[in-house]
Amino acid sequence: MYEQIKPLLFKLEPESAHYLVEHSLRGLSAIFPSALGLMAKKFVINDASLKQNLLGLDFNSPVGIAGGFDKNGTMVKPLSALGFGFLEYGTFTPRPQEGNEKPRVFRLVKQESIQNAMGFNNKGSYEVRSHVSKVYPFVLPLGANIGKNKDSENALEDYFILLREFKDLCDYFTINVSSPNTKNLRALQNDEFLTSLLIEAKQITSKPIFIKIAPDLEIPIAIALCQQAIEKGADGFIIANTSTDYSLIDNGRTFGGISGKLIQEKNSFFFKELAKELFSHTLLISCGGIDSGKEAYERIKNGANLIQIYTALIFKGPSIVKNINEELISLLRQDGFMHISEAVGVNLK
């Protein structure tokens, strides 16, 4: 069905298509709640070989939705019916902001990729809180992906505000300091800032804290940054965000971040190189260009406890989660593994 709908959606401007999907899912959840049960029967894979307990949280599958899809925490219930093992809302900021000027999202259809320069557009913490408080605690681990307002003069305080406000409305935090679409945000990927942030964050909340980093960092610098963050209390890393490697595209647009198939090889290599040093010392989530069970399995064997998708959901539709999970089960059995934990990091052992 999605293959029939997709051409119609793709005739819409990308943000308009996203809003249509969001409001359709929200409407379905509100008006026909029983429909979510029917969706879950179709899409949710319940298999013991994929279940993990990590940092005290139960993950029914390793596949999560990356930050950016549900910016304001409005789609938690319907997304859970698509078979995800965990969800992440945001990135959101203390105050509402419009984001960057439009047009700011571009489909690269042949490459099954997206180029976006959104700029943390969101409704602000007050409205996000009003949405999430209606569903939390939730049946799946729920992460809060937090960022700074673009005009903020005190980035640390922005993160502290959100940590305080949402420590009882999520199961983990993702600290987003790696989006390329907020001026100078990536400059916060440094030891001094992360040390100050983590020391105070650990006083504010006992919830796990993940750092989401950019795939465009030099690998030795990224490794050192992560090692320092582990020493200061980081519980894990999402590797990695969108890329600003514009050599991957030929459209002349040198702004925004690239996601999807185009960064699959880059993010996979970046993840593997970091995992060689970080695996067994922290929890690792791989993100960027994952669009199949085969690709997810490779990341898992290279050290990923969990994986996240976003762009693949746009191009392949809601069955992508089910397809990845079914393929993972098949690949585990082919390799003689009874449980996903046996495969995690097997290439590094």
Side-chain angles (χ1 to χ4, degrees), residues 209-241:
I209 296 175
F210 301 149
I211 310 294
K212 188 167 186 174
I213 66 172
D216 307 302
L217 287 170
E218 293 182 17
I219 287 172
I221 292 174
I223 291 170
L225 185 73
C226 292
Q227 289 172 333
Q228 286 290 324
I230 291 170
E231 291 182 10
K232 298 304 184 294
D235 296 284
F237 300 89
I238 299 179
I239 307 171
N241 212 320

Side-chain angles (χ1 to χ4, degrees), residues 62-259:
V63 184
I65 186 75
F69 191 87
D70 188 10
K71 289 181 179 293
N72 298 302
T74 61
M75 294 184 276
V76 173
K77 283 187 177 180
L79 285 174
S80 69
L82 297 185
F84 287 105
F86 63 109
L87 304 173
E88 193 168 297
Y89 61 91
T91 301
F92 62 97
T93 53
R95 290 175 284 109
Q97 62 181 29
E98 293 295 323
N100 298 321
E101 292 184 6
K102 298 181 181 180
R104 58 192 183 187
V105 186
F106 307 90
R107 298 186 191 94
L108 311 175
V109 177
K110 292 182 180 179
Q111 296 88 0
E112 294 187 3
S113 299
I114 297 286
Q115 186 174 1
N116 95 82
M118 299 286 278
F120 288 171
N121 56 303
N122 73 101
K123 298 294 186 180
S125 64
Y126 181 83
E127 188 159 333
V128 174
R129 184 180 181 86
S130 72
H131 294 146
V132 179
S133 62
K134 294 173 184 176
V135 297
Y136 189 83
F138 197 60
V139 66
L140 301 177
L142 192 59
N145 185 312
I146 60 176
K148 67 176 286 290
N149 280 109
K150 63 180 180 181
D151 59 354
S152 174
E153 296 181 359
N154 190 336
L156 274 174
E157 188 56 32
D158 275 14
Y159 288 102
F160 295 156
I161 288 169
L162 296 177
L163 286 163
R164 294 187 193 103
E165 289 186 358
F166 287 83
K167 61 186 176 66
D168 298 318
L169 288 172
C170 68
D171 296 301
Y172 70 86
F173 283 99
T174 293
I175 306 296
N176 192 343
V177 288
S178 54
S179 169
N181 301 321
T182 296
K183 187 177 180 180
N184 298 325
L185 185 77
R186 286 191 168 187
L188 301 181
Q189 294 179 121
N190 66 75
D191 291 342
E192 181 181 357
F193 181 84
L194 290 179
T195 294
S196 299
L197 189 152
L198 287 165
I199 289 174
E200 181 66 18
K202 287 296 179 177
Q203 299 300 311
I204 294 172
T205 181
S206 60
K207 299 292 175 69
I209 296 175
F210 301 149
I211 310 294
K212 188 167 186 174
I213 66 172
D216 307 302
L217 287 170
E218 293 182 17
I219 287 172
I221 292 174
I223 291 170
L225 185 73
C226 292
Q227 289 172 333
Q228 286 290 324
I230 291 170
E231 291 182 10
K232 298 304 184 294
D235 296 284
F237 300 89
I238 299 179
I239 307 171
N241 212 320
T242 58
S243 175
T244 56
D245 183 356
Y246 303 122
S247 68
L248 297 171
I249 55 178
D250 57 4
N251 57 27
R253 290 190 292 264
T254 55
F255 60 88
I258 304 163
S259 64

Side-chain angles (χ1 to χ4, degrees), residues 14-75:
E15 286 191 68
S16 298
H18 186 86
Y19 292 141
L20 176 61
V21 170
E22 177 185 359
H23 288 290
S24 298
L25 288 174
R26 291 176 65 182
L28 187 68
S29 178
I31 301 170
F32 304 108
S34 60
L36 297 186
L38 296 174
M39 287 172 60
K41 285 183 179 180
K42 178 176 178 61
F43 294 121
V44 174
I45 300 297
N46 188 18
D47 193 284
S49 67
L50 296 182
K51 298 180 185 296
Q52 302 176 85
N53 182 279
L54 303 167
L55 299 175
L57 302 174
D58 291 319
F59 296 84
N60 289 331
S61 91
V63 184
I65 186 75
F69 191 87
D70 188 10
K71 289 181 179 293
N72 298 302
T74 61
M75 294 184 276

